[in-house]
Amino acid sequence: MNNISTELQEILKSMHHVKKLEKGTYLFQEGTAANELFIIMSGKVQISKIIPDGRELTLRICSKGDIVGEMILFSTCSKYMMSAKILEDGEAAVILKDDLEERLSIDGSVAVEFLKWMATQYRKTQTKFRDLLLHGKKGALYSTLIRLTNSYGEKTDDGIVIKLPLTNQELANFCGTSREVANRMLSDLRKQKIISIEKGIITIHDLEYLKTEIDCENCPAEICNID
């Protein structure tokens, strides 16, 4: 747990128990009763929402040290607003909503740090929707690729290799579009030699092109990522 921040270490003191995460299952699903939050101790979890036309919109991928299900805090809503699908086996610390609310109410320093974390998450979501609204599906895909370089990118002589295998459907989910539309946009980028894809691994050859196309504001990496 060394990578977990001090404030999350404090929140962990409210931990009720540890839950095993099994790939392909759900930590929770949109619309189900909500009374628990989770801190990911290992593994990866995808947070997504079903949009009105039935497609899935992936908002972020959570890993060690991330909090999942935080939107239910201090809310009268008793249901999860999003779904959390497990992408990689691991473990999560389970914290009861009522217990954490009580701790945040009496511990001002932890509450402030938690609010800062919440504000960062809000800014991440806000900038993602900004790209989608201003630049459409293309903007959503390009911003997703940029965010992936900040979260999982590794610089090489050939470009930035994204060390997270993703299918075209998974990329489409980040954009709230169909796999067919994502395929066409990725194909165009490959033809222009902006990117290349080998066995699900994407290499970005011209990051500046992607940034220019969406009028990138060069937000800090702590905001411009998919974590």
Side-chain angles (χ1 to χ4, degrees), residues 10-186:
E10 287 297 313
I11 292 174
L12 274 172
K13 293 178 181 177
S14 303
M15 180 176 66
H16 187 264
H17 64 278
V18 173
K19 180 181 178 66
K20 293 285 186 182
L21 305 182
E22 183 179 341
K23 181 180 178 179
T25 62
Y26 283 85
L27 199 51
F28 54 81
Q29 290 184 274
E30 185 176 347
T32 58
N35 52 30
E36 297 174 336
L37 295 85
F38 307 87
I39 296 182
I40 307 303
M41 301 169 70
S42 61
K44 286 185 173 61
V45 176
Q46 170 187 290
I47 305 301
S48 61
K49 185 172 182 64
I50 301 301
I51 54 181
D53 63 5
R55 286 175 292 165
E56 182 179 26
L57 175 62
T58 299
L59 296 173
R60 59 187 173 120
I61 294 178
C62 301
S63 54
K64 183 176 180 179
D66 288 329
I67 300 175
V68 176
E70 72 282 357
M71 296 299 291
I72 66 172
L73 276 178
F74 299 104
S75 170
T76 56
C77 178
S78 60
K79 296 181 179 180
Y80 289 110
M81 299 172 62
M82 302 175 190
S83 296
K85 185 178 181 179
I86 299 166
L87 302 180
E88 181 180 289
D89 291 349
E91 292 184 329
V94 180
I95 299 175
L96 300 183
K97 174 179 180 286
D98 291 345
D99 290 349
L100 183 53
E101 286 178 347
E102 181 179 359
R103 180 169 183 81
L104 293 176
S105 296
I106 63 177
D107 193 329
S109 61
V110 174
V112 168
E113 290 303 320
F114 189 79
L115 285 173
K116 288 179 180 178
W117 178 87
M118 287 278 288
T120 299
Q121 296 306 315
Y122 174 74
R123 286 182 64 194
K124 289 180 185 180
T125 302
Q126 187 180 49
T127 55
K128 181 170 183 176
F129 283 134
R130 175 202 63 199
D131 293 336
L132 179 58
L133 289 171
L134 292 181
H135 303 286
K137 306 301 183 185
K138 184 179 77 170
L141 175 63
Y142 289 11
S143 68
T144 294
L145 292 173
I146 294 168
R147 292 167 193 274
L148 283 167
T149 63
N150 289 330
S151 295
Y152 297 98
E154 181 180 295
K155 291 184 178 180
T156 69
D157 292 339
D158 194 34
I160 303 174
V161 179
I162 298 173
K163 295 290 188 175
L164 178 68
L166 290 170
T167 65
N168 286 5
Q169 181 61 64
E170 288 169 333
L171 280 172
N173 290 347
F174 274 107
C175 308
T177 190
S178 67
R179 182 171 57 83
E180 290 73 21
V181 171
N183 286 346
R184 287 197 294 271
M185 292 190 292
L186 290 169

Side-chain angles (χ1 to χ4, degrees), residues 202-213:
I202 300 172
T203 299
I204 309 294
H205 302 295
D206 191 346
L207 183 62
E208 288 306 312
Y209 173 86
L210 300 177
K211 289 184 174 183
T212 300
E213 286 293 298

